[in-house]
C-alpha cells in the first residue's frame, strides 16, 4: 500500500491483527458504520485470516486498506496514519504485544481512542488508567468536557477501553444454553431476553418494552440460530414504503419484515394473534449468592471424615471400654472415676500386673489388655481415613448422586472460565469437564467447589459420569473444533433432545454442522457460536466512542443496546422519554440512577457485574436532563444518527457534571420509576 494514503486520511479507524476478531471488527466498521479502516497485519497471503482481510479490502462498498508489517512498530503505525486516526483496535491474543503497541500509539497520537483486547482484566484496568492519564497530561480533551472543544469530532476524545472477547461473548453463550436463544443480554445484574409473544399475552407478561412487530405473513423464527453479519436496515425511502403498505393493510399484511421499535399507533387495532418481540427480565443475579455461606460447626461432621464401618467400630470400642469400667467399679467398689482411670491404664498396658488382686480383677485386666490390642489398628484406620478425607476435601468434588437440571461445561480455558463465572452468578448448577489441571478456569472451579471431572471428554463414559442424561444443556467450549463436535455428537447419542451449544471457529464448517444437526435432531436445539462474531459489535462500538452493552437479533436485523450521555444532545436533552422516542430508530429503555462516585466506573463493568443502578421501567413523562445517562435500544444506523446529533461520546468513562451545575438544571416532572 502507498504510505501516502494512510497519511492523507483523517478520523479513520486502525485495526491491528490478522485473527478472526480483527476481520469481523473491520467488517463491522466498514459495512455498518461506513468508516474507512486501515488494517495492520503481518501478511495478506498467510496468517490465520490474512486472505479474508484482503478480500474485505477488495470488496465494493467497503473502504478498507491494509499495511503489512510483522510487528506493528512506529513505522507501521505511522504508515497506517495513526497520527490522524480516530481510534485504534488491538485484537492480538498476546496481552504483552497489545500493551507494547498501545504505549507506542499513545506516544505518537495522544488523542487517539484505544480499544484493547486483554484477558487479564486487572492489568487491563491499570493499563487503561495509565494511558488515560498520559492522554490528559499531553493535553488531550477529557471525555465529556463539552466546553473544551469546538465542534463535535474536531478533537477526538482520548479514551482507553479494555475488552475481553471471551468475557464479552460469555453472556450470549450462557443464554443459548440456559434460555435456548441468543436473543439475550446481560446488564445490571439482569438477564434480559427478547421473546416473541402474541399481542394478547403482552399486557399480561408486562414486558419492559416492545422491540419489534413481526410480519403477519412470514414466519421469521426459522432464522434464529443462523449467523448473519449483514446490516439489512432500510433507508428512509424503504421506511416510507413500509409505512405506506402497513397503512394500506392496517398494519397486518405485506410488511415483508419486522418493524423495529414500533410505537403505540403501530400496535393499535392489530389482531391479538399478531406476534411482537418484547424485552423481558428473566432473573436478577447476585454475585454473592453463588458462593455458599459458611455453615456453623456440627458435632455430626465426623460422618464426612470417617466411613460408616469405622464409625461403628469406634462406637463399639467405646461401649466396650465403658462396660469394662462399669464392671471394674462394681468389683473394686471404688469410685467411678478411679475405676475408669484403672481401666484406661489396663487398656493402654501401662498398669502393674494384678498378681495379688482377686481373680475377678485379674480377668478384667486381661480383658482390658485385649481391648487395647484391638484399639491399635482402629487408631491407625482413623489416621489413614482422616488423611484421605482431607485430601478429598482439597480436591474437586465429583458430580453428586441425584444431580439433574444442570449444565455440562466442556473446557475451562479463556472462554470457559468466563462462562463458568456467568453460570455461577445465575445460580445454575454446573458440571465441568477439563483435561488440563492447569487451565485458567480451574481456579474458579476450585474456589466455588464446582463438580469437575479431570478427563478427556472424548473418552468412553466421561459424559455419563457428568450425568449428561439428566442435564439441561451441553456447552462444548474447547479450543478445538473436532473435540467440540465429537462431544456434541456423543451427547446427542446419549440424549437426543439435549440442548447443545458448540464453539466453532470456521464459519463454513459451523454453518454445515448447524444445518446437519438441526435436520437430524429437529426436536432439539443446536447453537454454534463464534466468540469473535459475538464480541465484534462491542469492539466496533467502543471504537466509535460508545458503550455497547449488547445486541439482539430480530429476524435478519439487529438492535443494539448502548449507553448514551444526554448532555448536549438535542434529541434527548430536555425531552421526555416519550418525546425522545423515534420509531424504527431508537428508544430510551433505561436510566442510570447511580451516584456520581459509582458512575466513575465503566458501564461495561456495570453490565457484567450488576454493580450499577439502572431503572428499566421509566415513566413516559420523565424529562431527560443534562446530567443523565441513558440506555437506548436502537438500530445501528439509528444509533449513529443519535450520537451524531450530540457531542463526541466517551467510550468507557461516564460524563462528569460541569462545575457549578446543580441537580436541578432540568426539571424532573414525574419520578423516573413508573408508579
Amino acid at each position: 500500500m502507498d504510505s501516502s494514503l494512510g497519511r492523507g486520511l483523517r478520523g479513520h479507524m486502525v485495526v491491528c491483527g490478522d485473527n478472526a476478531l480483527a476481520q469481523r471488527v473491520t467488517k463491522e466498521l466498514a459495512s455498518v458504520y461506513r468508516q474507512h479502516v486501515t488494517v495492520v497485519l503481518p501478511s495478506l497471503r498467510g496468517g490465520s485470516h490474512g486472505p479474508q482481510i484482503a478480500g474485505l479490502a477488495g470488496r465494493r462498498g467497503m473502504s478498507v486498506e491494509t499495511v503489512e508489517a510483522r510487528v506493528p512498530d512506529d513505522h507501521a503505525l505511522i504508515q497506517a496514519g495513526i497520527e490522524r486516526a480516530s481510534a485504534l483496535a488491538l485484537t492480538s491474543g498476546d496481552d504483552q504485544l497489545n500493551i507494547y503497541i498501545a504505549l507506542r500509539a499513545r506516544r505518537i497520537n495522544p488523542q487517539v481512542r484505544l480499544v484493547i483486547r486483554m484477558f487479564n482484566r486487572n492489568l487491563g484496568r491499570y493499563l487503561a488508567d495509565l494511558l488515560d492519564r498520559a492522554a490528559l497530561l499531553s493535553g488531550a480533551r477529557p471525555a465529556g468536557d463539552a466546553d473544551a472543544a469546538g465542534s463535535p469530532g474536531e478533537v477526538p476524545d482520548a479514551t482507553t477501553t479494555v475488552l475481553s472477547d471471551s468475557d464479552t461473548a460469555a453472556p450470549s453463550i450462557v443464554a443459548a444454553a440456559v434460555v435456548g436463544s441468543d436473543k439475550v443480554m446481560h446488564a445490571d445484574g439482569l438477564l434480559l431476553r427478547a421473546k416473541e409473544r402474541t399481542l394478547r399475552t403482552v399486557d399480561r407478561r408486562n414486558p419492559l418494552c416492545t422491540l419489534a412487530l413481526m410480519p403477519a405473513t412470514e414466519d421469521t423464527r426459522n432464522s434464529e440460530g443462523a449467523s448473519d453479519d449483514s446490516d439489512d436496515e432500510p433507508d428512509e425511502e424503504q421506511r416510507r414504503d413500509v409505512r405506506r403498505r402497513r397503512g394500506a393493510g392496517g398494519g397486518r399484511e405485506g410488511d415483508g419484515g419486522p418493524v423495529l421499535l414500533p410505537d403505540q399507533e403501530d400496535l393499535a387495532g392489530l389482531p391479538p394473534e399478531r406476534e411482537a418481540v418484547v424485552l423481558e427480565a428473566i432473573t436478577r443475579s447476585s454475585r454473592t449468592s453463588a458462593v455458599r455461606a459458611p455453615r456453623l460447626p456440627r458435632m455430626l461432621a465426623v460422618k464426612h471424615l470417617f466411613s460408616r464401618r469405622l464409625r461403628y467400630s469406634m462406637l463399639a470400642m467405646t461401649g466396650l471400654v465403658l462396660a469394662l469400667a462399669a464392671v471394674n467399679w462394681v468389683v473394686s467398689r471404688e469410685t467411678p472415676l478411679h475405676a475408669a482411670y484403672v481401666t484406661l491404664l489396663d487398656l493402654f498396658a501401662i498398669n502393674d500386673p494384678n498378681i495379688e488382686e482377686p481373680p475377678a480383677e485379674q480377668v478384667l485386666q486381661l480383658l482390658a489388655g485385649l481391648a487395647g490390642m484391638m484399639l491399635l489398628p482402629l487408631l491407625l484406620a482413623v489416621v489413614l481415613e482422616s488423611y484421605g478425607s482431607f485430601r478429598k476435601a482439597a480436591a474437586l468434588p465429583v458430580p453428586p448422586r441425584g444431580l439433574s437440571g444442570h449444565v455440562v461445561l466442556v473446557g475451562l480455558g479463556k472462554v470457559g472460565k468466563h462462562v463458568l463465572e456467568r453460570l455461577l452468578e445465575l445460580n445454575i448448577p454446573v458440571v465441568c469437564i477439563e483435561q488440563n489441571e492447569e487451565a485458567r478456569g480451574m481456579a474458579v472451579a476450585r474456589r466455588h467447589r464446582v463438580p469437575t471431572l479431570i478427563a478427556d471428554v472424548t473418552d468412553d463414559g466421561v459424559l455419563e459420569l457428568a450425568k449428561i442424561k439428566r442435564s439441561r444443556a451441553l456447552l462444548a467450549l474447547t479450543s478445538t473444533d473436532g473435540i467440540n463436535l465429537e462431544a456434541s455428537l456423543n451427547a446427542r447419542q446419549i440424549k437426543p433432545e439435549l440442548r447443545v451449544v458448540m464453539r466453532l471457529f470456521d464459519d463454513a464448517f459451523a454453518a454445515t454442522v448447524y444445518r446437519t444437526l438441526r435436520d437430524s435432531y429437529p426436536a432439539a436445539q443446536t447453537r454454534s457460536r463464534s466468540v469473535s462474531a459475538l464480541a465484534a459489535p462491542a469492539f466496533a462500538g467502543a471504537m466509535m466512542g460508545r458503550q455497547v452493552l449488547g445486541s439482539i437479533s430480530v429476524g435478519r436485523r439487529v438492535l443494539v443496546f448502548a449507553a448514551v450521555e444526554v448532555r448536549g444532545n438535542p434529541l434527548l436533552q430536555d425531552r421526555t422519554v416519550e418525546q425522545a422516542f423515534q420509531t424504527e430508530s431508537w428508544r430510551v429503555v433505561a436510566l442510570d440512577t447511580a451516584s456520581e462516585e459509582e458512575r466513575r466506573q465503566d458501564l461495561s463493568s456495570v453490565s457484567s457485574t450488576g454493580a450499577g443502578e439502572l431503572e428499566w421501567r421509566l415513566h413516559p413523562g420523565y424529562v431527560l436532563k443534562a446530567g443523565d445517562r441513558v440506555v437506548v435500544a436502537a438500530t445501528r444506523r439509528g444509533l449513529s444518527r443519535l450520537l451524531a446529533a450530540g457531542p463526541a461520546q466517551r467510550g468507557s468513562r461516564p460524563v462528569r457534571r460541569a462545575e457549578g451545575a446543580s441537580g436541578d438544571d432540568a426539571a424532573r416532572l414525574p419520578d423516573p420509576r413508573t408508579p
Side-chain angles (χ1 to χ4, degrees):
M1 165 188 153
D2 188 359
S3 61
S4 61
L5 294 176
R7 293 184 179 180
L9 298 173
R10 183 178 182 85
H12 64 291
M13 305 290 174
V14 179
V15 178
C16 291
D18 65 341
N19 48 30
L21 180 59
Q23 177 198 353
R24 294 185 183 276
V25 170
T26 301
K27 184 177 181 180
E28 184 88 4
L29 291 170
S31 62
V32 177
Y33 297 107
R34 305 300 180 185
Q35 296 292 314
H36 182 93
V37 185
T38 301
V39 185
V40 181
L41 71 168
S43 174
L44 291 173
R45 294 165 294 279
S48 59
H49 283 73
Q52 291 89 334
I53 296 176
L56 295 178
R59 185 177 300 183
R60 292 188 59 185
M62 292 189 183
S63 180
V64 178
E65 296 178 352
T66 57
V67 173
E68 295 186 70
R70 296 190 59 183
V71 178
D73 52 12
D74 290 357
H75 176 71
L77 292 175
I78 293 175
Q79 189 178 6
I82 191 63
E83 69 276 8
R84 294 177 176 270
S86 172
L88 168 66
L90 306 176
T91 65
S92 172
D94 187 349
D95 287 358
Q96 184 175 352
L97 178 61
N98 289 337
I99 294 174
Y100 168 79
I101 302 173
L103 294 175
R104 287 183 171 273
R106 179 64 83 210
R107 181 173 56 83
I108 298 174
N109 183 1
Q111 299 174 348
V112 68
R113 184 184 300 119
L114 297 176
V115 180
I116 308 172
R117 173 191 181 186
M118 293 194 69
F119 179 80
N120 191 330
R121 286 180 286 184
N122 290 331
L123 177 60
R125 185 171 62 252
Y126 298 143
L127 177 64
D129 293 339
L130 174 64
L131 293 175
D132 284 349
R133 184 182 298 272
L136 291 175
L137 293 177
S138 66
R141 180 178 63 85
D145 190 357
D147 299 330
S151 59
E154 190 173 279
V155 181
D157 49 0
T159 60
T160 304
T161 303
V162 176
L163 297 175
S164 169
D165 56 337
S166 55
D167 193 18
T168 305
S172 297
I173 296 176
V174 171
V178 176
V179 186
S181 172
D182 57 353
K183 299 177 181 180
V184 174
M185 185 184 67
H186 191 273
D188 191 39
L190 282 174
L191 191 60
L192 305 173
R193 171 179 62 182
K195 181 68 175 179
E196 290 188 16
R197 304 279 186 190
T198 60
L199 296 180
R200 186 194 310 275
T201 61
V202 166
D203 294 335
R204 185 168 65 249
R205 292 282 180 173
N206 192 22
L208 298 178
C209 66
T210 302
L211 298 179
L213 179 65
M214 302 305 292
T217 58
E218 180 181 355
D219 186 5
T220 59
R221 285 174 293 181
N222 56 2
S223 62
E224 183 180 335
S227 60
D228 180 61
D229 295 329
S230 63
D231 182 35
D232 299 332
E233 297 183 12
D235 54 21
E236 292 299 329
E237 181 63 29
Q238 291 173 326
R239 288 194 183 97
R240 288 193 294 267
D241 182 63
V242 167
R243 287 189 175 276
R244 283 196 302 268
R245 286 180 291 172
R246 191 190 312 140
R252 295 175 174 83
E253 303 292 342
D255 290 358
V259 179
L260 299 185
L261 303 174
D263 55 18
Q264 293 300 322
E265 296 181 358
D266 295 326
L267 302 178
L270 295 178
E273 293 76 18
R274 185 71 175 268
E275 288 189 340
V277 179
V278 297
L279 185 65
E280 299 177 347
I282 300 176
T283 181
R284 180 173 290 275
S285 64
S286 174
R287 293 183 68 86
T288 58
S289 59
V291 183
R292 295 181 179 179
R295 297 178 177 178
L296 295 176
R298 298 180 302 175
M299 297 301 296
L300 298 179
V302 292
K303 70 179 183 179
H304 300 293
L305 294 176
F306 309 118
S307 63
R308 178 181 300 178
R309 182 178 300 177
L310 183 58
R311 295 199 305 269
Y312 288 162
S313 300
M314 294 171 60
L315 184 62
M317 179 59 66
T318 302
L320 177 61
V321 173
L322 292 176
L324 291 174
V327 173
N328 195 351
W329 172 49
V330 173
V331 172
S332 64
R333 297 181 180 180
E334 298 287 345
T335 62
L337 183 61
H338 182 270
Y341 174 71
V342 172
T343 302
L344 290 177
L345 291 179
D346 294 337
L347 183 70
F348 296 120
I350 57 178
N351 197 7
D352 294 333
N354 293 333
I355 298 177
E356 299 179 356
E357 299 296 333
E361 294 188 13
Q362 293 178 354
V363 172
L364 286 176
Q365 189 177 42
L366 291 176
L367 292 177
L370 181 62
M373 295 177 60
M374 297 170 57
L375 182 62
L376 290 178
L378 186 61
L379 293 177
L380 180 61
V382 169
V383 173
L384 294 179
E385 286 206 9
S386 300
Y387 177 71
S389 298
F390 282 116
R391 287 194 61 184
K392 183 179 179 180
L396 289 168
V398 296
R401 293 182 178 179
L403 179 65
S404 62
H406 60 287
V407 173
V408 178
L409 174 59
V410 181
L412 290 176
K414 290 183 178 181
V415 180
K417 173 180 178 292
H418 292 296
V419 170
L420 176 59
E421 292 174 343
R422 296 282 182 170
L423 291 171
L424 293 175
E425 288 177 3
L426 297 173
N427 290 328
I428 296 174
V430 191
V431 173
C432 300
I433 302 176
E434 174 57 54
Q435 188 175 7
N436 182 14
E437 295 188 21
E438 303 299 326
R440 295 178 183 265
M442 292 297 293
V444 179
R446 289 191 177 94
R447 184 167 62 251
H448 294 278
R449 304 291 299 161
V450 177
T452 304
L453 300 176
I454 307 298
D456 187 352
V457 70
T458 60
D459 292 343
D460 294 336
V462 174
L463 288 176
E464 286 82 353
L465 292 176
K467 306 291 190 296
I468 193 68
K469 284 187 177 181
R470 298 181 178 180
S471 65
R472 65 194 298 181
L474 170 70
L475 289 171
L477 304 179
T478 70
S479 57
T480 305
D481 287 357
I483 294 179
N484 295 336
L485 179 60
E486 184 175 354
S488 302
L489 294 177
N490 189 11
R492 278 288 168 80
Q493 290 290 333
I494 300 173
K495 186 178 181 180
E497 70 277 9
L498 181 68
R499 182 182 298 157
V500 174
V501 180
M502 288 180 290
R503 177 190 178 190
L504 299 177
F505 289 84
D506 186 80
D507 292 338
F509 179 63
T512 303
V513 169
Y514 169 75
R515 286 192 294 266
T516 303
L517 289 178
R518 182 189 58 188
D519 297 338
S520 302
Y521 300 92
Q525 292 182 341
T526 304
R527 298 288 183 268
S528 60
R529 293 291 176 262
S530 169
V531 174
S532 59
L534 296 172
F539 277 76
M543 292 185 70
M544 295 299 298
R546 60 202 63 172
Q547 296 176 359
V548 177
L549 295 130
S551 61
I552 291 177
S553 61
V554 181
R556 294 179 60 86
R557 299 176 64 185
V558 175
L559 282 176
V560 179
F561 291 80
V564 179
E565 299 290 345
V566 175
R567 185 185 304 276
N569 195 321
L571 298 178
L572 297 176
Q573 187 172 344
D574 298 330
R575 290 173 176 247
T576 65
V577 173
E578 185 177 8
Q579 293 171 346
F581 166 63
Q582 292 290 331
T583 305
E584 301 186 33
S585 294
W586 63 79
R587 179 197 297 273
V588 176
V589 296
L591 173 70
D592 188 0
T593 60
S595 63
E596 287 292 332
E597 184 65 25
E598 293 171 335
R599 288 182 58 181
R600 289 191 175 93
Q601 305 179 25
D602 292 352
L603 193 59
S604 58
S605 65
V606 170
S607 67
S608 61
T609 65
E613 299 178 9
L614 297 180
E615 177 57 46
W616 292 91
R617 297 192 182 276
L618 295 175
H619 192 284
Y622 172 73
V623 178
L624 303 174
K625 71 172 189 176
D628 288 339
R629 178 171 59 179
V630 296
V631 176
V632 298
T635 63
R636 288 183 282 192
R637 289 198 177 98
L639 182 61
S640 299
R641 290 171 48 214
L642 178 63
L643 295 184
Q649 299 289 324
R650 180 157 179 157
S652 61
R653 295 293 187 273
V655 171
R656 295 183 180 180
R657 188 171 299 183
E659 294 184 4
S662 65
D664 298 325
D665 290 341
R668 296 175 181 258
L669 297 182
D671 188 90
R673 298 168 179 81
T674 302

